[in-house]
Amino acid sequence: MATTTASSFISSVILQPIIVAISSAVYSSLLSYEMVGNLDWRPIVICATSDVLVIAADHLKDQEVVIGSRGAAVIKRFTPLAHIFLALNAALLVAALSLSPPKATLFTAIFTSPAFLWTTPLDVSRIGTMLKRLTGANYSQEVDKVRKPFIIKRVPGMKAFFSGTIRSCGVFLVVQSALQSPWKSTHSALPWTIAETLVWSMVNRTGHCIMSDVRDYDEDKEAGVPTIPVLLDSLLKTRMILTVVHAAILTAFRHNPFIVASSCFAIALVWILGKDTPKPYFRLSLHSQSIFIVTYAVLLTFGLI
């Protein structure tokens, strides 16, 4: 394992979560505008800080495995800074939730739970044993067969599915509940519609997750992680499927130039980015949606659309 440096620790625990949070802030801003015609800070802060907390906590947990290595001194020195960073985001999240309807808290908890439990071993057999004891069913004291704990990450394709669903439905439900907006918005934000935005967002984020798996193909294959590229056993097949899906979105929503441009950009990245591409370039894939939402906002601000 490589020695942890100050720059790698800060990048992993602070900068990367912020970069992802910016994407969520931009997307929730668009949904807020589509629903009520203005930007409400509460759902934007909820979505952004939730991303920061989930990702930063996960990355900080990963750093703990090198406590006994040469990078331990760096980790011990910067861990308090990471804790302050997490505490500030938690305070912002609590503030935004306290000023929002209870449903916003409920949906936030529902859609962040899988991310917090992403790599946590879950012993399902123990739950069954506890239920048997509580219900008085016949319980054998014999030692059960050793079973591998259930890990969400190990379910084939689950990472991409969860990420796309949380990005699309999760953010929408948080924004809608915080704003107490009707399911069918009366505000016109052409060329956008909420339904199209949700579908586009789900496909875009799912595609980005699969592209991240393309980047980690060799590592995941060696570790036996059942990502989409590993299951297909072919990066070419993965790229072809992603191209077809993005092209379908492009065709279905061809009346919206921003979705069309975003889909074209995503298709280009599918064939440009690969397992040998430096990781920072994959941020283009992460923001293949944000870039065009910001472009729309700029054009709208200057009255060009």
Side-chain angles (χ1 to χ4, degrees), residues 159-292:
K159 176 184 176 182
F161 171 76
F162 266 132
S163 297
T165 302
I166 293 172
R167 172 70 169 187
S168 178
C169 302
V171 173
F172 166 75
L173 289 172
V174 169
V175 174
Q176 189 271 337
S177 59
L179 298 177
Q180 294 183 303
S181 172
W183 288 99
K184 186 175 182 180
S185 176
T186 57
H187 175 69
S188 177
L190 295 177
W192 304 97
T193 66
I194 293 176
E196 291 178 358
T197 302
L198 296 182
V199 174
W200 168 49
S201 181
M202 177 176 284
V203 171
N204 182 272
R205 178 49 62 93
T206 302
H208 165 67
C209 289
I210 295 175
M211 284 304 299
S212 298
D213 293 334
V214 167
R215 178 194 65 201
D216 301 330
Y217 177 74
D218 290 336
E219 179 182 333
D220 289 338
K221 189 172 184 179
E222 182 178 350
V225 180
T227 62
I228 300 298
V230 171
L231 292 174
L232 293 175
D233 196 27
S234 170
L235 294 182
L236 177 60
K237 291 179 182 178
T238 303
R239 288 189 168 102
M240 291 177 66
I241 291 174
L242 287 175
T243 300
V244 170
V245 174
H246 284 305
I249 293 296
L250 183 158
T251 303
F253 305 143
R254 58 186 177 278
H255 58 276
N256 188 323
F258 301 98
I259 294 181
V260 170
S262 172
S263 298
C264 289
F265 185 56
I267 291 173
L269 292 176
V270 164
W271 294 97
I272 292 173
L273 302 177
K275 60 181 181 179
D276 297 322
T277 305
K279 288 187 177 182
Y281 289 101
F282 280 84
R283 292 171 186 167
L284 291 172
S285 175
L286 172 66
H287 288 288
S288 60
Q289 183 181 49
S290 308
I291 292 171
F292 297 94

Side-chain angles (χ1 to χ4, degrees), residues 34-46:
E34 288 183 17
M35 291 180 188
V36 297
N38 56 54
L39 303 184
D40 189 301
W41 70 273
R42 295 171 301 164
I44 298 171
V45 168
I46 291 171

Side-chain angles (χ1 to χ4, degrees), residues 1-6 8-9 13 60-83:
M1 181 176 290
T3 302
T4 300
T5 63
S8 64
F9 182 87
V13 179
L60 185 60
K61 184 179 179 181
D62 291 340
Q63 297 293 335
E64 292 176 355
V65 300
V66 295
I67 284 293
S69 71
R70 293 180 180 179
V74 172
I75 295 175
K76 291 179 180 178
R77 189 193 320 157
F78 286 96
T79 294
L81 175 63
H83 288 164

Side-chain angles (χ1 to χ4, degrees), residues 41-42 45-46 49 86-98:
W41 70 273
R42 295 171 301 164
V45 168
I46 291 171
T49 54
L86 288 170
L88 289 174
N89 278 276
L92 285 173
L93 176 60
V94 170
L97 288 173
S98 66

